[in-house]
């Protein structure tokens, strides 16, 4: 079967996940049969879809017309024959009980066409065991969406022991057509990828509390403010629900053994029905207490190292058992849990040898099997990291150069001078690795990006491969890859300066837009010529330009597709400073060096608060307040104030 053969999708189960998945499929234009066992259940699911589509339209995320047509694509059913009789693909999202699923599959297969695939949205049961409850185990796989499906980008596509490659290919293609990012899980293994990392992490923080090794405040402060996770781990598990964590953990415990023994504190939460936000009380008290309250300055390095070591051990398990590879694990956890970096990269940055030692000494102290070092982690440590020779430190760059010109500045030079420093996929790969390398280097406090020669910063994406024969799917991936790569600059902890000398066009201009500052020589010309090519700015330009220059100017620049001189772009607030041609090299270095001498912790937290605020001003303001508090106990503040009082220049150390 091919993706084009899928017209009708049956979604079984109209609960939270089911109606969310049905909405996603309807938005992608599929005809969707939503089925549940009772009229009131299916009607409730349908009304939830209607409500959600209205909200999306109200927020201008989709048009009213699109909302209407998506709703028209959904047909609610109670009868199984009507729901699956014409289905090409079934997504099952019924309760997580093997007997219930088996009964559903028995009913479904009485009416389901032979060619149809069945995919289960299970988050905990074995895909192999489930597939064996059907008569088509080779046409059965896992398709694990994340909650809420409309917002979450990740879909884990899981192979069972009998799944045919064609089934996985079609399911992945379908996930992409639903505008999601599929990550393939090569082997059926409890927790798949994201839960296999997150659930032991959530259990470990409970072990720490159970054994008085750390307090809730210390743990959440460490994970949120020091490790930079989007939430404290307890804050996150209160949101996802401890009952869900416990359910997945129990299954892992049953199948994989005592490594996954639930911590006493987690058992206590379950016994007291403190499931989290949804029950009014979890680790934090949402009804009678203040809810989540995390101090910014209670973090401890040993907590971070222990948690990173535990995650690294799980990455080692997944890699060692050939369930997945480090890059896919990182992508899945970043998309599924919102981590700023994936666990393999975080572990590599921390140093695998240190993490192995941490686990060994915890094992010596406690004797608990969860601290036994996995073979996969040991092997990766011997190779020098999960990314081994592929990581930024060891990568041979051919399309860029990384330089260290002094004054704590790290410089990336786009190095394809003969082709106007245009950007191809290999350059993007190298660029991403270089940003990671510079960001991880404590001696680098600002990044400067320039182009080789004086003709171009970059003339954009290398268009030679795009004419006529590029596949849309590949182009979508290329767009996402550029967005992710440039997004790293925006999210990077140190300030980033684009030094533009010559043309900064298309994707090259978009790269500069993701930097914190743009300095341009007077002879530079900037713009988005994509409309001249029948393209659009696809590396973040449709979003970032409006935020920097205002919506009206952004439209002018994009729709005219003209090249603008540096002065005009300065007037449009796009360029920070126009520099004399002859003084260019000196001035851009000086500008970056000044930033590198600034207070690193304040700079990092300022960038984070400003990014958070783009999405949601309340979140940004809250982060700003927390960050303000965090700064009170830094040596940098003492240094800054002392220098001010003594009329000296401060020397910040980032402590
Ligand atoms: C998501 C992102 C999408 C995009 O970024 S789409 C691409 C947007 N960019 C553009 O449309 C810019 C295209 N380039 C130009 O308009 C011109 O170039 C310049 C104005 C930058 C410079 O013009 P001149 O001084 O006359 O030089 P030259 O002979 O056109 O270019 C030198 C060599 O560079 C190659 N080149 C320039 N831009 C690109 C590009 N974007 N993709 C691939 N090659 C490019 C040329 O072809 C040529 O090569 P050879 O010497 O072998 O003839």
């Amino acid at each position: 079967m091919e993706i084009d053969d899928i017209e009708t999708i049956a979604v079984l189960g109209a609960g939270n996940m089911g109606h969310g998945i049905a909405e996603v499929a309807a938005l992608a234009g599929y005809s969707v049969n939503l089925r549940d066992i009772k009229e009131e259940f299916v009607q409730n699911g349908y009304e939830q879809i209607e409500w959600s589509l209205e909200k999306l339209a109200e927020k201008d995320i989709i048009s009213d017309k699109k909302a209407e047509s998506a709703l028209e694509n959904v047909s609610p059913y109670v009868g199984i024959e009507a729901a699956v009789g014409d289905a090409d693909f079934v997504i099952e999202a019924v309760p997580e009980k093997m007997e219930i699923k088996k009964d559903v599959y028995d009913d479904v297969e009485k009416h389901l066409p032979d060619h149809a695939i069945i995919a289960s949205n299970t988050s905990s049961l074995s895909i192999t065991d489930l597939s064996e409850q059907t008569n088509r185990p080779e046409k059965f796989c896992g398709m694990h969406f994340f909650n809420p499906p409309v917002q979450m980008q990740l879909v884990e596509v899981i192979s069972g022991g009998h799944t045919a490659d064609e089934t996985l290919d079609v399911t992945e293609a379908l996930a992409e057509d639903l505008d999601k990012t599929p990550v393939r899980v090569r082997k059926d293994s409890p927790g798949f990828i994201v839960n296999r990392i997150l659930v032991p992490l959530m259990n470990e923080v409970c072990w720490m509390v159970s054994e008085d090794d750390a307090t809730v405040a210390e743990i959440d402060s460490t994970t949120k403010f020091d490790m930079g996770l989007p939430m404290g781990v307890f804050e996150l598990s209160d949101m996802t629900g401890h009952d869900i964590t416990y359910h997945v953990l129990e299954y892992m415990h049953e199948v994989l053994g005592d490594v996954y023994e639930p911590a006493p504190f987690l058992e206590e939460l379950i016994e007291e029905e403190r499931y989290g936000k949804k029950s009014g009380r979890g680790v934090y008290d949402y009804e009678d207490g203040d809810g989540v309250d995390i101090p910014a300055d209670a973090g401890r390095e040993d907590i971070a190292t222990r948690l990173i070591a535990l995650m690294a051990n799980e990455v080692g398990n997944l890699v060692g058992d050939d369930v997945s590879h480090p890059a896919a694990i990182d992508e899945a956890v970043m998309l599924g849990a919102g981590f700023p970096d994936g666990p393999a990269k975080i572990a590599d940055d921390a140093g695998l040898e240190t993490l192995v030692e941490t686990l060994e000494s915890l094992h010596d102290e406690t004797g608990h099997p969860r601290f036994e070092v996995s073979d996969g982690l040991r092997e990766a440590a011997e190779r020098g990291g999960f990314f081994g020779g592929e990581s930024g430190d060891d990568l041979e760059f051919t399309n860029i150069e990384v330089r260290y010109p002094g004054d704590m500045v790290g410089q990336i030079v786009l190095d394809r001078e003969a082709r106007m420093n245009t950007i191809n996929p290999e350059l993007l790969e190298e660029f991403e690795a270089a940003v990671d390398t510079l960001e991880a280097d404590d001696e680098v406090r600002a990044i400067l990006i320039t182009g080789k020669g004086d003709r171009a910063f970059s003339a954009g994406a290398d268009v030679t491969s795009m004419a006529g024969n590029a596949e849309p799917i590949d182009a979508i991936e290329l767009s996402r890859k550029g967005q992710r790569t440039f997004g790293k600059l925006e999210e990077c902890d140190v300030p980033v300066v684009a030094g533009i000398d010559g043309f900064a066009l298309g994707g090259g201009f978009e790269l500069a837009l993701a930097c914190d500052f743009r300095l341009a020589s007077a002879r530079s010309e900037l713009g988005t010529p994509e409309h001249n090519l029948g393209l659009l700015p696809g590396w973040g330009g449709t979003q970032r330009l409006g935020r920097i220059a205002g919506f009206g100017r952004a439209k002018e620049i994009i729709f005219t597709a003209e090249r603008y001189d540096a002065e005009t772009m300065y007037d449009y607030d796009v360029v920070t400073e126009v520099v004399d041609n002859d003084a260019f090299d000196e001035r851009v270095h000086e500008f970056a060096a000044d930033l590198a001498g600034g207070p690193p912790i304040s700079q990092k937290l300022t960038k984070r608060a400003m990014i958070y605020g783009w999405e949601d001003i309340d979140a940004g303001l809250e982060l700003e307040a927390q960050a303000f508090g965090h700064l009170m106990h830094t040596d940098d503040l003492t240094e800054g104030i002392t220098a001010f009082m003594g009329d000296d220049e401060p020397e910040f150390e980032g402590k």
Side-chain angles (χ1 to χ4, degrees):
M1 184 161 87
E2 306 269 325
I3 172 82
D4 293 342
D5 299 325
I6 302 177
E7 284 178 12
T8 302
I9 297 177
V11 179
L12 308 179
N16 260 351
M17 292 307 289
H19 73 66
I21 296 166
E23 182 179 351
V24 167
L27 277 165
Y30 289 93
S31 160
V32 180
N33 298 340
L34 178 66
R35 189 259 175 179
D36 213 316
I37 49 170
K38 284 192 182 163
E39 185 64 42
E40 60 186 283
F41 295 167
V42 79
Q43 202 47 43
N44 183 43
Y46 184 83
E47 281 163 16
Q48 293 288 336
I49 296 176
E50 190 173 18
W51 177 86
S52 169
L53 289 168
E54 269 171 24
K55 284 276 159 230
L56 291 176
E58 257 170 49
K59 291 184 182 167
D60 275 340
I61 297 170
I62 57 173
S63 64
D64 289 342
K65 203 159 160 236
K66 174 118 187 179
E68 265 168 42
S69 74
L71 195 62
E72 277 165 21
N73 288 340
V74 181
S75 312
Y77 292 104
V78 171
I80 194 80
E81 183 173 1
V84 304
D86 63 346
D88 306 300
F89 199 100
V90 173
I91 304 175
E92 168 271 304
V94 306
E96 294 279 70
K97 292 262 184 291
M98 187 61 90
E99 318 81 69
I100 299 182
K101 295 201 191 253
K102 180 179 169 15
D103 288 349
V104 169
Y105 300 153
D106 285 348
D107 284 350
V108 164
E109 285 200 300
K110 287 184 196 140
H111 311 286
L112 186 68
D114 286 342
H115 70 271
I117 288 173
I118 305 179
S120 175
N121 178 56
T122 183
S123 60
S124 60
L125 297 177
S126 154
I127 300 300
T128 308
D129 291 354
L130 288 172
S131 75
E132 287 169 0
Q133 312 299 324
T134 73
N135 295 322
R136 60 185 84 200
E138 71 295 341
K139 288 200 194 112
F140 189 100
C141 67
M143 191 177 193
H144 182 214
F145 289 78
F146 286 72
N147 197 12
V150 178
Q151 278 171 27
M152 296 297 285
Q153 194 56 33
L154 178 67
V155 175
E156 290 175 325
V157 174
I158 307 121
S159 179
H162 313 288
T163 312
D165 283 347
E166 185 190 304
T167 302
L168 295 169
D169 291 344
V170 173
T171 307
E172 265 182 14
L174 176 63
E176 277 170 359
D177 210 36
L178 300 183
D179 211 13
K180 300 290 167 197
T181 305
V183 169
R184 190 175 289 201
V185 184
R186 292 199 286 241
K187 260 194 201 164
D188 188 11
S189 173
F192 313 133
I193 296 177
V194 175
N195 280 338
R196 184 66 176 268
I197 303 288
L198 281 190
V199 168
L201 181 73
M202 292 168 168
N203 194 30
E204 188 57 27
V205 292
C206 290
W207 275 110
M208 286 178 168
V209 171
S210 309
E211 301 191 331
D212 278 339
D213 287 339
T215 63
V216 168
E218 286 168 336
I219 290 165
D220 270 6
S221 183
T222 305
T223 45
K224 185 166 180 166
F225 294 106
D226 299 350
M227 293 170 67
L229 304 187
M231 293 184 194
V233 175
F234 282 122
E235 183 183 12
L236 175 68
S237 49
D238 261 8
M239 199 186 80
T240 51
H242 299 280
D243 50 334
I244 309 278
T245 307
Y246 190 71
H247 179 68
V248 179
L249 189 66
E250 267 189 312
Y251 179 66
M252 288 164 76
H253 188 197
E254 189 187 310
V255 178
L256 300 169
D258 279 346
V259 170
Y260 301 96
E261 180 191 351
F265 181 53
L266 179 57
E267 305 258 19
E268 207 180 292
L269 291 172
I270 300 300
E271 271 158 31
E272 292 174 11
E273 297 185 1
R274 288 161 61 189
Y275 299 140
K277 229 174 177 174
K278 63 183 170 191
S279 64
R281 189 162 173 228
V283 173
Y284 296 99
D285 192 341
Y286 301 88
E287 269 172 12
D288 303 322
D290 294 338
V292 178
D293 183 15
I294 306 176
D297 56 358
R300 279 177 23 199
E301 207 174 319
D302 62 317
I303 297 177
T305 310
R306 175 162 160 183
L307 295 179
I308 294 170
L310 257 290
M311 285 196 283
N313 220 16
E314 290 303 337
V315 175
N317 278 323
L318 290 172
V319 174
D321 294 344
D322 197 29
V323 176
S324 190
H325 55 86
I329 295 169
D330 276 7
E331 184 176 28
V333 176
M334 285 160 74
L335 292 174
F339 278 30
D341 273 320
K345 160 93 175 45
I346 295 176
D348 273 6
D349 288 349
L352 296 197
E353 278 180 15
T354 312
L355 301 180
V356 168
E357 280 164 20
T358 304
L359 290 170
E360 284 172 344
S361 84
L362 286 162
H363 191 249
D364 287 349
E365 268 169 44
T366 65
H368 199 281
R370 70 188 192 282
F371 297 124
E372 274 166 23
V373 179
S374 63
D375 291 346
L377 173 57
R378 226 178 256 293
E379 281 161 23
E382 278 159 22
R383 282 197 315 272
F386 283 113
F387 291 101
E390 296 159 35
S391 79
D393 288 337
D394 308 324
L395 205 72
E396 281 273 307
F397 295 127
T398 50
N399 296 280
I400 60 170
E401 248 181 52
V402 175
R403 296 182 189 161
Y404 298 88
D407 297 322
M408 297 185 289
V409 175
Q411 186 171 358
I412 302 176
V413 184
L414 309 176
D415 187 11
R416 301 184 75 226
E417 196 175 355
R419 299 201 74 80
M420 296 275 174
N421 300 323
T422 46
I423 300 168
N424 57 20
E426 296 79 53
L427 188 147
L428 280 179
E429 290 285 339
E430 293 181 9
F431 190 86
E432 188 174 7
V435 175
D436 287 343
T437 306
L438 292 178
E439 195 184 7
D441 187 338
D442 289 343
E443 301 296 309
V444 172
R445 300 247 206 104
I447 296 176
L448 171 64
I449 298 165
T450 55
K452 198 60 159 296
D454 58 7
R455 295 200 58 213
F457 172 75
S458 167
D462 187 327
V463 295
T464 43
S465 58
M466 289 186 194
N469 53 6
E471 289 295 327
I473 285 284
D474 296 336
I476 293 171
E477 200 30 58
L478 178 66
S479 171
R480 288 190 180 137
K481 167 97 193 137
Q483 290 171 353
R484 278 198 301 270
T485 306
F486 298 168
K488 271 182 171 275
L489 295 174
E490 205 163 59
E491 286 164 15
C492 155
D493 283 343
V494 300
V496 183
V497 180
I500 300 166
D501 189 17
F503 295 109
L505 302 175
F509 182 57
E510 290 172 285
L511 191 170
L513 292 176
C515 298
D516 300 306
F517 306 94
R518 287 156 289 282
L519 270 63
S521 64
R523 67 182 150 222
S524 297
E525 291 182 40
L526 304 89
T528 52
E530 283 93 335
H531 278 198
N532 290 337
L533 301 171
L535 282 171
L536 58 71
W539 283 341
T542 62
Q543 305 305 305
R544 289 200 179 92
L545 187 53
R547 287 176 157 147
I548 294 168
F551 226 52
R553 285 293 183 213
K555 284 198 175 153
E556 177 201 325
I557 295 165
I558 293 173
F559 281 78
T560 61
E562 294 283 353
R563 302 203 300 254
Y564 292 75
D565 61 31
E567 277 297 345
T568 309
M569 282 299 198
Y570 174 78
D571 292 341
Y572 286 4
D573 288 338
V574 174
V575 163
T576 316
E577 183 179 318
V578 181
V579 182
D580 282 347
N581 296 334
D582 295 340
F584 177 78
D585 289 338
E586 204 181 318
R587 176 61 191 142
V588 291
H589 176 80
E590 182 187 50
F591 190 93
D594 273 354
L595 290 167
I601 307 176
S602 309
Q603 290 175 333
K604 172 175 87 177
L605 295 176
T606 301
K607 278 187 80 164
R608 284 200 192 152
M610 291 180 81
I611 293 173
Y612 269 57
W614 261 6
E615 297 295 330
D616 173 350
I617 187 167
D618 291 333
L621 288 170
E622 180 51 27
L623 191 65
E624 180 187 85
Q626 295 287 347
F628 201 75
H630 182 69
L631 291 169
M632 289 304 128
H633 283 175
T634 60
D635 293 351
D636 282 355
L637 178 71
T638 314
E639 171 65 18
I641 291 181
T642 313
F644 171 73
M645 306 295 266
D647 221 5
D648 278 338
E649 276 299 309
E651 285 184 22
F652 295 114
E653 290 189 23
K655 289 185 185 157

